């Protein structure tokens, strides 16, 4: 079987702009123009099985390199990303429609950080741990907790961040000593193939990391073949992945949908709050799982805050030009534009006002204007369903209590943010929010702190990425008990004797029967 990257058909750049394409090829579009720029294979279940066989054969040697050997490869890859950043950004932009700055900040900076982070921290997070026990049955024995790589990890990535949220989940899995098969979104597969080139150049052994391009069937086939699945995407698809994994009792980690609230308290620095709301609401075209999707503002500062947001949103430049020429890019996934338009129209029909934007783009590509909505409430889809687009609905609330209640009135709980000059009060509000992460006087930056766990509450996911848990999930915890010095036979062993049983009963009462009980 030819490798996936050898089967990519570059559509653009040919003499007549076309190429012979097999029936099992998937077109990849530039969403800024609607032009088909390449085709990639729709990998079959049989091909996935063969990839898994090769990965399992290659994995033991990769594990045997140890943390130091694997770390050297990851550190080389860290430099490769920086040395080839412009080329990588060009590939990312070609299949996502991002601005140059969005790709640089959210993708390149993450990759450059993550390779070094996991190379440095994998030995610490996965080191053998000595465990102490109060149980007399193991007194004098050595108790250890070991983290052993699971073997073969399957990663199913999303289309909004093909490096950060797709390829990025492969880095700790590799650092732990696993082989990895990545199934990128069929919408944005080219970035993963580009990074595969880099890993090969940097010394990752053949078949330790592979890319299986394809549609949903490829992902389902991958779930059947691996020892663990990491999935990032919608809650609806996440449920399907979990159900499929249940057939083989394959462990899963899921980062799913979000509807992240931003709360503006009456004592907030409104200039910073407005800048943050506009930036983190429109960043990457609003196509970020932890983007600001709804804003709650205490009544005394509502009008001033809305005025500031309106002014800043009107000044946004939307386009696909070179660095420094555009703030907001195109959307990436055509059906997502329909969802954004539906949410805006639903809000308008129910009484909301559009202060900025509100329309999809005309002409080629998949565009929607940066949009600010007011007079919104929880009868509207824009406040209750994940929009995943460049919209910012703002709702007036009487006080912090109402803001907390409304913020928690959601099936999602991925991230949240609170703005207020009384930091203790703002933090107290944040601690009452039902979300996996909360930022005070900031938004989303928790994702850049790789030491912190990143995961969701409620329907926003299962498990975490980043931090110790972000690499330990790719391992099997193995308990080890070492007995160095012991009698030929323990008192509790066969044959049972009444005298020994009584001694043990007295010992249990002495150890566990003392102390107050109320």
């Amino acid at each position: 079987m030819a490798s996936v990257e050898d089967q990519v058909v570059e559509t653009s750049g040919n003499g007549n702009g076309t190429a012979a394409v097999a029936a099992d090829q998937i077109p990849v579009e530039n969403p800024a123009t609607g032009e088909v720029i390449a085709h990639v294979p729709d990998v079959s279940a049989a091909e996935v099985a063969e990839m898994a066989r090769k990965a399992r054969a290659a994995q033991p040697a990769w594990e045997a390199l140890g943390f130091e050997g694997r770390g050297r490869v990851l550190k080389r890859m860290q430099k490769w990303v920086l040395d080839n950043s412009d080329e990588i950004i060009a590939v990312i932009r070609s299949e996502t429609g991002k601005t140059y700055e969005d790709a640089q900040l959210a993708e390149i900076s993450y990759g450059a950080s993550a390779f070094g982070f996991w190379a440095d921290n994998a030995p610490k997070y996965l080191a053998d741990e000595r465990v102490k026990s109060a149980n007399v049955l193991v007194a004098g024995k050595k108790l250890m907790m070991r983290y052993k790589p699971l073997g073969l990890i399957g990663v199913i990535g999303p289309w909004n961040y093909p490096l950060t949220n797709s390829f990025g989940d492969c880095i700790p899995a590799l650092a732990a000593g696993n082989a990895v098969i990545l199934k990128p979104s069929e919408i944005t597969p080219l970035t993963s193939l580009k990074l595969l080139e880099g890993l090969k150049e940097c010394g990752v052994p053949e078949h330790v990391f592979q890319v299986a391009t394809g549609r949903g069937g490829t992902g389902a086939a991958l779930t059947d073949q691996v020892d663990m699945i990491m999935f990032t995407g919608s809650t609806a698809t996440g449920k399907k992945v979990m159900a499929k994994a249940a057939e083989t009792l394959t462990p899963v980690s899921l980062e799913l949908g979000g509807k992240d609230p931003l709360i503006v308290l009456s004592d907030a620095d409104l200039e910073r709050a407005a800048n943050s709301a506009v930036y983190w609401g429109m960043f990457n075209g609003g196509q970020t799982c932890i983007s600001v999707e709804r804003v709650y503002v205490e009544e005394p500062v509502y009008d001033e805050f809305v005025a500031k947001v309106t002014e800043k949103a009107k000044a946004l430049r939307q386009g696909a030009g070179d660095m420094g020429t555009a703030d907001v890019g195109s959307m990436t996934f055509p059906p997502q534009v329909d969802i954004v338009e539906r949410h805006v129209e639903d809000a308008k029909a129910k009484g909301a006002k559009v202060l900025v934007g509100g329309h999809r783009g005309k002409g080629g590509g998949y565009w929607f204007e940066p949009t600010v909505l007011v007079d919104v409430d929880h009868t509207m889809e824009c406040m209750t369903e994940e929009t995943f687009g460049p919209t910012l609905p703002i709702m007036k609330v009487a006080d912090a209590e109402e803001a907390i209640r409304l913020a928690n009135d959601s099936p999602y709980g991925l991230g949240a943010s609170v703005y207020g000059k009384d930091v203790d009060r703002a933090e107290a509000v944040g601690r009452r929010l039902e979300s996996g992460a909360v930022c005070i006087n900031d938004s989303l930056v928790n994702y850049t702190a790789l030491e912190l766990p990143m995961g969701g509450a409620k329907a926003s996911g299962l498990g975490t990425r980043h931090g110790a848990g972000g690499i330990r999930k790719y391992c099997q915890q193995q308990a080890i008990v070492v007995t160095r010095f012991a009698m030929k036979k323990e008192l509790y062993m066969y044959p049972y004797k009444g005298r020994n049983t009584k001694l043990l009963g007295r010992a249990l009462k002495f150890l566990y029967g003392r102390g107050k009980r109320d």
Side-chain angles (χ1 to χ4, degrees):
M1 180 184 73
S3 64
V4 171
E5 60 270 27
D6 291 338
Q7 299 178 62
V8 176
V9 177
E10 295 291 345
T11 302
S12 59
N14 298 302
N16 59 0
T18 61
V21 178
D24 60 351
Q25 296 281 306
I26 301 171
V28 181
E29 292 184 332
N30 181 334
T33 64
E35 174 193 10
V36 174
I37 56 175
H39 288 79
V40 297
D42 190 2
V43 173
S44 68
E47 290 171 315
V48 170
E50 177 63 12
M51 294 171 78
R53 185 192 67 77
K54 292 177 178 178
R56 292 190 185 282
Q59 184 271 330
W62 175 245
E63 180 182 354
L65 285 177
F67 293 119
E68 184 178 352
R70 295 192 296 271
R72 284 195 296 269
V73 175
L74 296 181
K75 286 292 184 75
R76 287 197 290 269
M77 188 63 184
Q78 182 180 42
K79 187 175 186 302
W80 186 90
V81 168
L82 293 171
D83 289 345
N84 295 274
S85 60
D86 281 342
E87 189 174 348
I88 298 169
I89 287 172
V91 175
I92 291 171
R93 295 188 67 198
S94 73
E95 62 181 357
T96 65
K98 296 180 192 285
T99 64
Y100 183 98
E101 286 78 6
D102 283 357
Q104 181 186 61
L105 179 66
E107 306 265 25
I108 297 298
S109 69
Y110 182 90
S113 171
F115 279 109
F117 177 84
W118 292 115
D120 293 337
N121 286 280
K124 176 179 70 174
Y125 289 149
L126 301 183
D128 288 355
E129 298 178 8
R130 290 293 295 265
V131 178
K132 293 182 179 180
S133 174
N135 197 305
V136 295
L137 297 181
V138 292
K141 305 178 190 295
K142 184 173 76 169
L143 279 60
M144 302 288 296
M145 172 72 81
R146 178 195 175 204
Y147 294 96
K148 178 183 179 181
L150 284 168
L152 177 57
I153 306 300
V155 176
I156 302 177
W159 45 261
N160 58 330
Y161 288 102
L163 193 163
T164 299
N165 276 359
S166 188
F167 182 86
D169 286 319
C170 304
I171 303 172
L174 290 168
N178 296 286
V180 178
I181 299 176
L182 168 61
K183 205 296 280 187
S185 168
E186 64 270 29
I187 307 301
T188 55
L190 304 181
T191 301
S192 297
L193 294 170
K194 182 64 182 175
L195 293 166
L196 173 59
E197 292 178 18
L199 281 174
K200 288 182 175 180
E201 289 182 29
C202 293
V204 170
E206 190 175 13
H207 307 312
V208 165
F209 177 79
Q210 300 174 79
V211 177
T213 58
R215 299 185 174 90
T218 305
L222 182 63
T223 304
D224 287 337
Q225 297 293 333
V226 297
D227 300 309
M228 187 264 188
I229 279 285
M230 172 66 208
F231 171 81
T232 302
S234 71
T235 298
T237 305
K239 290 178 179 179
K240 294 178 182 178
V241 170
M242 193 169 184
K244 181 66 175 174
E247 296 176 6
T248 50
L249 291 181
T250 301
V252 298
S253 183
L254 309 171
E255 198 222 73
L256 307 176
K259 191 68 182 175
D260 291 10
L262 182 151
I263 295 175
V264 181
L265 301 175
S266 58
D267 68 335
D269 179 337
L270 296 184
E271 185 66 17
R272 177 170 180 79
N275 279 324
S276 296
V278 172
Y279 184 74
W280 294 117
M282 306 300 176
F283 184 77
N284 197 46
Q287 302 163 113
T288 304
C289 53
I290 52 175
S291 67
V292 174
E293 286 242 347
R294 50 196 171 117
V295 183
Y296 303 98
V297 186
E298 285 194 299
E299 188 171 4
V301 295
Y302 175 82
D303 290 338
E304 184 179 355
F305 176 81
V306 168
K308 288 180 176 292
V309 165
T310 301
E311 179 185 9
K312 297 175 189 304
K314 283 181 177 178
L316 292 174
R317 302 164 298 171
Q318 191 170 31
D322 295 330
M323 66 176 75
T325 64
D327 303 310
V328 180
S330 75
M331 297 191 67
T332 302
F333 186 42
Q336 201 65 40
V337 186
D338 297 334
I339 292 173
V340 175
E341 184 175 48
R342 190 190 79 219
H343 285 192
V344 171
E345 293 304 314
D346 171 77
K348 288 164 59 179
K350 294 173 180 175
K353 295 179 182 177
V354 177
L355 299 184
V356 181
H359 304 96
R360 67 191 302 157
K362 297 180 175 63
Y366 310 113
W367 300 83
F368 201 93
E369 297 174 337
T371 299
V372 176
L373 296 162
V374 294
D375 296 342
V376 293
D377 58 44
H378 277 220
T379 67
M380 302 174 185
E381 294 174 345
C382 70
M383 295 296 286
T384 58
E385 297 182 13
E386 186 174 35
T387 305
F388 222 63
T391 64
L392 195 65
I394 308 172
M395 183 174 179
K396 183 192 299 182
V397 294
D399 52 29
E401 289 301 316
E402 185 181 13
I404 293 168
R405 178 177 62 79
L406 291 169
N408 290 335
D409 180 26
S410 173
Y412 300 110
L414 200 53
S417 49
V418 183
Y419 287 75
K421 290 180 182 176
D422 184 340
V423 176
D424 291 339
R425 178 187 178 228
E427 183 179 342
V429 170
R431 285 174 177 268
R432 294 173 61 190
L433 300 179
E434 298 166 352
S435 63
V438 179
C439 293
I440 308 302
N441 293 320
D442 244 319
S443 301
L444 281 77
V445 294
N446 60 287
Y447 199 97
T448 67
L450 300 184
E451 298 81 0
L452 282 173
M454 170 63 209
K458 300 191 285 190
S460 285
L462 180 69
T464 62
R465 59 162 61 94
H466 302 165
I471 190 168
R472 289 175 179 172
K473 69 184 181 184
Y474 296 124
C475 299
Q476 172 68 54
Q477 289 186 347
Q478 185 179 51
I480 299 175
V481 178
V482 179
T483 302
R484 296 185 185 278
F485 308 104
M487 299 181 294
K488 298 294 184 184
K489 184 173 72 172
E490 303 287 351
L491 285 174
Y492 52 78
M493 290 181 177
Y494 297 135
Y496 289 143
K497 296 180 179 180
R499 179 176 175 274
N500 290 349
T501 301
K502 289 179 181 179
L503 284 173
L504 286 171
R506 290 171 189 158
L508 290 172
K509 289 181 180 179
F510 177 78
L511 289 170
Y512 307 121
R514 296 173 297 161
K516 295 182 178 180
R517 293 292 184 269
D518 37 77

